[in-house]
Amino acid sequence: MSDLRPSPISSTVDFEADGCHHGFLRLPYSRDDSAWGFVTIPITVVRNGSGPTALLTGGNHGDEYEGPIALFDLAYTLRPEEISGRVIIVPGMNYPALQSATRTSPIDRLNLNRSFPGRPDGTVTEKIADYFQRVLLPMADVVVDCHAGGKTIDFLPFAAAHIVPNKVQQAEAFRMVEAFGAPYSVKMLEIDSVGLFDTAAEELGKVFVSPELGGGGTATAASVGRTKRGLRNVLTAAGIARGIIEPQVTQWIDMPDQDCFTFAEDSGLIEFSVDLGDSVAKGDTVARIWPLGHTGVSPIVIRSRREGIVMGRHFPGLVKSGDFVMLIASLIEP
Ligand code: ZN
């Protein structure tokens, strides 16, 4: 434990009591429309005796919906008699962002997933990060943080874990990825891992899984169905829920280097030449950007920097310099 001051966030639920408990994480937030107000983050704790603890989260980014939908459903349906151990469910980690349907918080504009380890005396988002860092993560054995592409990215449905120094921890994370049973299972490389919830959990030795199950700022019946099934499967694989895991076919994917990521250097209308799931060779045209200012002007050609399968793409119809355009990763042969 650090010498930081205690978190200002308090929980209305008892993490040590058996049974199913619904309540809030209460974060004091004095503001114009509520002088003595709080941010109240919904939380459910289901506990039955001793056993491992799973921390299941969504809404780390507020415009990604598979996690929150599946987790509100799980919080409503999971019964203590179905488990041994404890399940902590937070469907909307960055709750103000979930309420405003934005990736970052409308209060301080911070991206929760770039704010770890957070600060107990920081902004609202930094206080949330600090509470997860120092209170919730230490309770957990397994963490599943549900993401999707949000309003600006669409993904093939995958679950991912990272390469970490501790190979026992890494093997357990990839076992959970396989149990999750998404159509694709990814050995994930980050553009920038500083401040991630993922990194915070992994540095504490936790088994961390991050599904990316759709995108475009909405959710589908299929993507929510995969999330619900995947979360139950992880609880079973972790020895918390009883039952059997129905085997799912998954294709393993590697992200060997930063050439997986392609970015725009120009603004305009984006015309994709390939779609999610397509195979491309290095140097293939993957998209063309039409400048909006004139007709009769040639488009800017964007080429693949590596061979592989298209796992993710920019979602809105317009693109600008610096935007992510495409994620191209490698199939791992069985
Ligand atoms: Zn996200």
Side-chain angles (χ1 to χ4, degrees):
M1 193 69 181
S2 72
D3 55 3
L4 292 170
R5 69 174 68 181
S7 171
I9 297 177
S10 58
S11 172
T12 67
V13 293
D14 183 348
F15 292 103
E16 306 304 327
D18 277 348
C20 180
H21 310 279
H22 306 290
F24 300 101
L25 303 175
R26 300 180 78 244
L27 191 171
Y29 175 45
S30 177
R31 55 197 189 269
D32 288 344
D33 69 339
S34 187
W36 288 4
F38 283 78
V39 172
T40 48
I41 303 169
I43 183 170
T44 290
V45 178
V46 185
R47 181 165 187 146
N48 185 15
S50 59
T53 292
L55 173 60
L56 309 178
T57 54
N60 188 336
H61 295 129
D63 62 348
E64 304 171 357
Y65 295 102
E66 284 79 2
I69 295 168
L71 290 169
F72 273 107
D73 181 85
L74 186 67
Y76 181 64
T77 55
L78 188 64
R79 296 285 168 260
E81 52 272 24
E82 296 178 75
I83 67 167
S84 299
R86 181 169 55 179
V87 182
I88 302 171
I89 302 170
V90 184
M93 282 179 86
N94 196 346
Y95 191 65
L98 181 65
Q99 285 179 300
S100 69
T102 51
R103 180 173 178 83
T104 61
S105 174
I107 297 170
D108 54 25
R109 303 307 336 171
L110 284 182
N111 179 346
L112 177 59
N113 215 25
R114 301 292 183 277
S115 300
F116 280 82
R119 296 167 58 96
D121 56 353
T123 66
V124 165
T125 304
E126 290 171 325
K127 287 171 178 168
I128 294 171
D130 171 69
Y131 188 83
F132 275 84
Q133 175 80 42
R134 292 193 297 151
V135 179
L136 294 182
L137 278 180
M139 294 183 198
D141 300 289
V142 177
V143 183
V144 183
D145 185 35
C146 298
H147 287 258
K151 289 176 179 169
T152 65
I153 300 177
D154 197 13
F155 286 117
L156 283 184
F158 67 83
H162 296 104
I163 305 296
V164 294
N166 182 330
K167 295 306 164 190
V168 175
Q169 178 189 2
Q170 176 182 305
E172 187 65 358
F174 283 118
R175 189 174 76 82
M176 294 301 157
V177 167
E178 184 152 29
F180 192 96
Y184 296 87
S185 296
V186 174
K187 295 183 176 178
M188 188 83 180
L189 178 74
E190 299 291 344
I191 295 171
D192 177 11
S193 63
V194 176
L196 293 180
F197 184 40
D198 314 41
T199 309
E202 288 160 353
E203 287 180 353
L204 289 172
K206 309 304 180 183
V207 172
F208 190 91
V209 176
S210 180
E212 295 272 8
L213 286 156
T218 187
T220 66
S223 66
V224 171
R226 288 186 185 109
T227 311
K228 289 181 181 178
R229 187 185 62 219
L231 289 168
R232 290 264 181 182
N233 284 350
V234 168
L235 292 180
T236 304
I240 297 171
R242 301 180 192 94
I244 53 165
I245 299 171
E246 290 176 34
Q248 304 291 327
V249 175
T250 192
Q251 168 66 56
W252 282 89
I253 298 285
D254 192 20
M255 294 173 60
D257 55 50
Q258 294 287 333
D259 283 347
C260 293
F261 303 101
T262 305
F263 297 91
E265 297 179 353
D266 301 274
S267 302
L269 281 174
I270 187 156
E271 174 195 357
F272 285 101
S273 312
V274 291
D275 289 318
L276 292 178
D278 285 350
S279 295
V280 297
K282 183 176 181 178
D284 279 359
T285 298
V286 296
R288 303 196 298 174
I289 299 174
W290 293 97
L292 279 174
H294 302 271
T295 54
V297 175
S298 62
I300 289 70
V301 173
I302 299 183
R303 298 185 187 281
S304 170
R305 298 164 65 196
R306 66 189 324 282
E307 66 170 11
I309 177 174
V310 179
M311 292 295 299
R313 52 154 276 195
H314 181 83
F315 190 75
L318 296 180
V319 71
K320 61 187 183 305
S321 179
D323 281 355
F324 163 81
V325 168
M326 193 165 280
L327 169 62
I328 299 170
S330 299
L331 298 178
I332 300 174
E333 301 304 330

